[in-house]
């Protein structure tokens, strides 16, 4: 069934372990292509974006064995620089294979990564940066052809701290001749995680997680074993769920140090937070508070991926709140679906004004992309009555098993 049904209105009570990070494991799977041997990845989330990426890696000749959340990837012999059409074209993240394929094979052919409802998702920053390192790229009708027989280190400054462009530069620079200095690099924790993984494979990288990264290319990368960090966006989703639906939740394996901006917003909403070790106890005594403005920003600012979940939580918070989206040009689509549940949201350009209502009402709604789908789950858990959230497959792209997690947190899910 491509939907889930939630009976809202009951306060939460339960606990859940936060899964491994989607946006960390995807570039790491690309990096694994550069090892002429075996890499082992632990705590890999069982999500459809990972499944698609693994199919693409198999299309290049990787042998993959999966034991629960443990992946064993043998990339000893790769045979083609052409991604299987039916996967790479539908998944935006396939673009981050480019750097690794050029580093390992010297050539690549990738169908254009799909845009999606949150924005056009251009790749101009990727292409410009890789050209600076000696890549020749042709935008052909059915995809992107790239050749780079001898990648060279370069001094590159990104006009915007693009996460994907930063990852592609790091992936190619790891084995380029000489030193690459990347300025205005993205500082997201997923970049630091990728650099740590590459360093375990023998790469020479300094400044990872800062806005200037220096990579000295090495001749070869070797196998390693690595445990993926928890997913800060999944953790933030469930924290906002608790603020919206009320009750008390215990989240385990929470990456606290990556959630500063999110925890600050939750404090503004009146949520109480008690941490011990890597667990977080979170509850909202009474109705949560709105009446403030939140701007999305590159890390360490408030993450754009939690903008829709925050919008859903603010729909039932006291007061009128404002969300200003600075990263993607069309990330408010979910407001229309929240409106079907009685939400009071006014959108103007990249600004949303949300006035909290007494109660949302259950309705049939449709997920249109990953984080918007998660936002609908939050709204449905807070609403009075039953909701049906259609197009569940969007949510499964990034949440390992949101039905299991919601039930474990005390949400009534059918
Ligand atoms: C990554 O996407 C994440 N995806 C996104 O998470 C996340 O929202 C985004 O970073 C921002 O944090 C993965 O890591 C797989 P960007 P990415 O390049 O790399 C523009 C989720 O829900 N841009 O930092 O595509 C772009 O249009 C997903 O898990 C260009 O103009 O993000 C956007 O407006 C959604 N030209 C902005 O930069 C380019 O060449 C940020 O994009 C590249 C990007």
């Amino acid at each position: 069934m491509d939907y889930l049904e939630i009976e809202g209105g009951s306060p939460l009570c339960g606990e859940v372990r936060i899964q491994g990070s989607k946006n960390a494991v995807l570039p790491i799977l690309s990096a694994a292509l550069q090892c002429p041997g075996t890499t082992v990845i632990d705590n890999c989330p069982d999500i459809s974006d990972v499944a698609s990426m693994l199919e693409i890696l198999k299309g290049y000749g990787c042998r993959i064995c999966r034991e629960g959340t443990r992946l064993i990837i043998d990339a000893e012999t790769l045979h083609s620089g052409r991604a299987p059409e039916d996967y790479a074209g539908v998944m935006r993240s396939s673009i981050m294979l480019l750097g690794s394929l050029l580093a390992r094979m010297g050539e690549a052919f990738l169908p254009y990564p799909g845009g999606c409802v949150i924005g056009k998702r251009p790749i101009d920053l990727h292409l410009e940066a890789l050209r600076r390192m000696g890549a020749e790229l042709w935008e052909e009708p059915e995809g992107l052809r790239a050749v780079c027989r001898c990648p060279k280190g370069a001094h590159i400054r990104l006009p915007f701290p693009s996460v994907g462009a930063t990852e592609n530069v790091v992936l190619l620079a790891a084995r380029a001749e000489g030193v690459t200095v990347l300025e205005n690099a993205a500082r997201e924790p997923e970049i630091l995680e990728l650099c740590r993984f590459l360093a375990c494979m023998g790469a020479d990288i300094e400044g990872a997680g800062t806005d200037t990264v220096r990579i000295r290319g090495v001749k070869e990368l070797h196998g390693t074993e690595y445990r993926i960090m928890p997913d800060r966006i999944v953790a933030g989703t469930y924290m906002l769920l608790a603020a919206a639906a009320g009750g008390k939740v215990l989240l385990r394996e929470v990456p606290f140090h990556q959630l500063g901006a999110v925890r600050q917003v939750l404090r503004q909403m009146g949520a109480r937070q008690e941490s011990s070790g890597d667990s977080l106890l979170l509850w909202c005594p009474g109705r949560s508070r709105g009446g403030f403005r939140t701007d999305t920003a590159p890390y360490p600012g408030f993450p754009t991926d939690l903008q829709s979940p925050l919008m859903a939580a603010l729909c039932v918070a006291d007061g009128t709140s404002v969300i200003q989206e600075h990263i993607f040009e069309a990330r408010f689509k979910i407001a229309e679906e929240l409106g079907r549940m009685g939400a009071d949201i006014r959108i103007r350009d990249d600004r949303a004004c949300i006035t909290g209502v007494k109660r949302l009402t259950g309705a049939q709604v449709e997920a249109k992309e990953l984080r918007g789908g998660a936002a609908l789950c939050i709204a449905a858990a807070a609403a009075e009555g039953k909701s049906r959230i259609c197009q569940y497959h969007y949510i499964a792209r990034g949440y390992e098993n949101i039905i299991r997690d919601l039930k474990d947190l005390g949400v009534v899910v059918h």
Side-chain angles (χ1 to χ4, degrees):
M1 288 178 308
D2 195 19
Y3 64 82
L4 74 154
E5 289 184 334
I6 289 176
E7 188 72 49
S10 40
L12 305 187
C13 175
E15 68 174 80
V16 86
R17 182 192 80 87
I18 301 301
Q19 71 184 55
S21 165
K22 164 177 95 78
N23 291 348
V25 75
L26 290 173
I28 282 174
L29 290 174
S30 169
L33 272 179
Q34 297 200 42
C35 162
T38 299
T39 45
V40 179
I41 294 171
D42 283 315
N43 199 32
C44 177
D46 184 8
I47 54 178
S48 58
D49 267 13
V50 165
S52 300
M53 188 64 104
L54 294 180
E55 288 306 313
I56 296 171
L57 295 190
K58 282 186 212 163
Y60 284 112
C62 288
R63 282 192 296 281
I64 292 169
C65 168
R66 173 152 216 169
E67 297 155 4
T69 60
R70 186 177 171 85
L71 274 185
I72 299 146
I73 301 169
D74 176 353
E76 188 168 358
T77 47
L78 300 187
H79 52 59
S80 83
R82 193 178 180 102
E85 304 279 321
D86 37 3
Y87 288 98
V90 298
M91 198 176 68
R92 154 92 195 158
S93 324
S94 54
I95 187 64
M96 63 180 70
L97 289 162
L98 190 52
S100 285
L101 287 167
L102 291 177
R104 176 80 191 269
M105 317 267 285
E107 62 177 17
F109 181 84
L110 280 171
Y112 291 117
C116 59
V117 288
I118 67 175
K120 291 191 297 299
R121 314 295 298 272
I123 56 172
D124 54 314
L125 303 183
H126 298 242
L127 305 187
E128 180 50 36
L130 297 182
R131 283 191 175 105
R132 296 289 309 282
M133 299 174 71
E136 291 176 277
L137 299 136
W138 298 272
E139 295 177 63
E140 297 179 357
E142 70 280 10
L144 181 69
R145 181 173 308 285
V147 171
C148 188
R149 298 289 174 216
C150 181
K152 295 229 181 331
H155 195 132
I156 300 166
R157 180 178 175 75
L158 291 176
F160 174 84
S162 154
V163 170
T166 300
E167 288 164 346
N168 255 328
V169 170
V170 166
L171 286 163
L172 180 56
R175 299 217 8 241
E177 204 178 288
V179 174
T180 297
V181 176
L182 178 61
E183 291 186 345
N184 200 26
R187 296 187 283 160
E188 272 67 9
E190 292 77 22
I191 307 282
L192 180 54
E193 191 78 341
L194 170 64
C195 292
R196 281 180 177 154
F197 178 77
L198 284 165
C200 291
M201 292 174 76
D204 179 353
I205 302 175
E206 292 166 11
T210 73
D211 62 3
T212 303
V213 185
R214 186 186 168 82
I215 308 111
R216 177 180 296 281
V218 294
K219 279 261 169 296
E220 191 152 279
L221 296 172
H222 55 72
T224 188
E225 180 159 346
Y226 196 84
R227 180 178 172 80
I228 301 295
M229 68 183 185
D231 192 312
R232 62 190 172 105
I233 304 301
V234 171
T237 303
Y238 296 156
M239 291 158 74
L240 288 160
L241 168 72
K248 189 176 267 193
V249 297
L250 178 68
L251 305 181
R252 288 183 286 104
E253 295 189 34
V254 177
F256 291 110
H257 56 292
Q258 300 171 8
L259 286 160
V262 179
R263 297 187 68 188
Q264 176 51 30
V265 164
L266 280 151
R267 271 190 287 276
Q268 285 178 284
M269 296 180 78
R272 301 286 170 78
Q273 305 170 49
E274 262 174 34
S275 56
S276 125
D278 64 358
S279 295
L280 175 71
L281 190 62
L282 187 142
W283 72 101
C284 251
R287 198 171 144 88
S288 52
R289 292 193 304 265
F292 52 86
R293 170 173 161 151
T294 305
D295 288 67
T296 64
Y299 192 84
F302 188 87
T304 176
D305 292 347
L306 285 174
Q307 181 258 100
S308 300
L310 173 61
M311 179 184 281
L314 291 172
C315 288
V316 288
D318 281 340
T320 296
S321 313
V322 172
I323 298 180
Q324 190 80 32
E325 172 60 57
H326 294 274
I327 307 293
F328 287 102
E329 70 271 22
R331 206 162 196 176
F332 285 144
K333 291 271 188 316
I334 205 62
E336 197 182 321
E337 295 303 301
L338 291 169
R340 292 179 202 286
M341 301 173 80
D344 178 353
I345 306 171
R346 278 154 291 124
I347 305 288
R348 205 179 72 203
D349 303 330
D350 50 9
R351 174 174 301 186
C353 285
I354 306 109
T355 301
V357 294
K358 189 147 180 38
R359 263 262 180 251
L360 293 174
T361 314
Q364 173 150 325
V365 288
E366 203 166 286
K368 300 195 186 314
E369 38 83 28
L370 167 56
R371 306 301 175 186
L376 292 175
C377 294
I378 291 176
E384 196 68 52
K386 184 188 279 190
S387 298
R388 172 176 288 196
I389 300 162
C390 303
Q391 308 270 59
Y392 172 74
H393 65 274
Y394 283 116
I395 304 172
R397 291 189 56 179
Y399 293 81
E400 194 169 61
N401 186 338
I402 202 164
I403 292 175
R404 172 201 65 203
D405 290 352
L406 290 172
K407 284 182 178 172
D408 287 351
L409 292 171
V411 178
V412 178
V413 187
H414 302 299

